[in-house]
Amino acid sequence: MVICSVSPVSALKAEATDEQLKVMNEIEGTDITIGEYLQKVWPQFYDELSEEQKEKVNCWKKSWPKSLSENQVSES
């Protein structure tokens, strides 16, 4: 059994600015890590991470959801 533990965080709410949305759209689908994503889109959250947490997120690849068109089943 593998158990992943993350430090508890108080309620987190973030609303993206127009600039953040622009960056998100520009990097969507690219081959980046979670750390790179956070640095580009949410630098304030990245800065709050401990050095150990930064090391971990800098190694994790960012996954992207499949587009809706890829998830749709063609109707015959």
Side-chain angles (χ1 to χ4, degrees):
M1 175 190 303
V2 176
I3 298 175
C4 295
S5 174
V6 178
S7 300
V9 177
S10 58
L12 178 66
K13 179 181 178 186
E15 292 184 22
T17 64
D18 288 341
E19 183 61 31
Q20 287 169 308
L21 291 172
K22 180 181 174 188
V23 172
M24 286 180 205
N25 286 326
E26 289 173 356
I27 64 176
E28 183 177 357
T30 60
D31 183 25
I32 63 173
T33 65
I34 300 288
E36 291 169 317
Y37 179 82
L38 289 173
Q39 290 176 65
K40 291 176 187 232
V41 180
W42 303 103
Q44 68 276 25
F45 296 132
Y46 184 82
D47 292 343
E48 295 289 323
L49 299 176
S50 69
E51 289 306 312
E52 182 181 343
Q53 290 169 320
K54 287 178 182 176
E55 286 179 26
K56 289 180 181 179
V57 297
N58 288 336
C59 293
W60 291 342
K61 286 290 183 185
K62 170 82 174 104
S63 62
W64 300 98
K66 292 182 179 181
S67 68
L68 290 176
S69 61
E70 292 177 20
N71 291 330
Q72 293 176 344
V73 176
S74 62
E75 295 180 24
S76 302

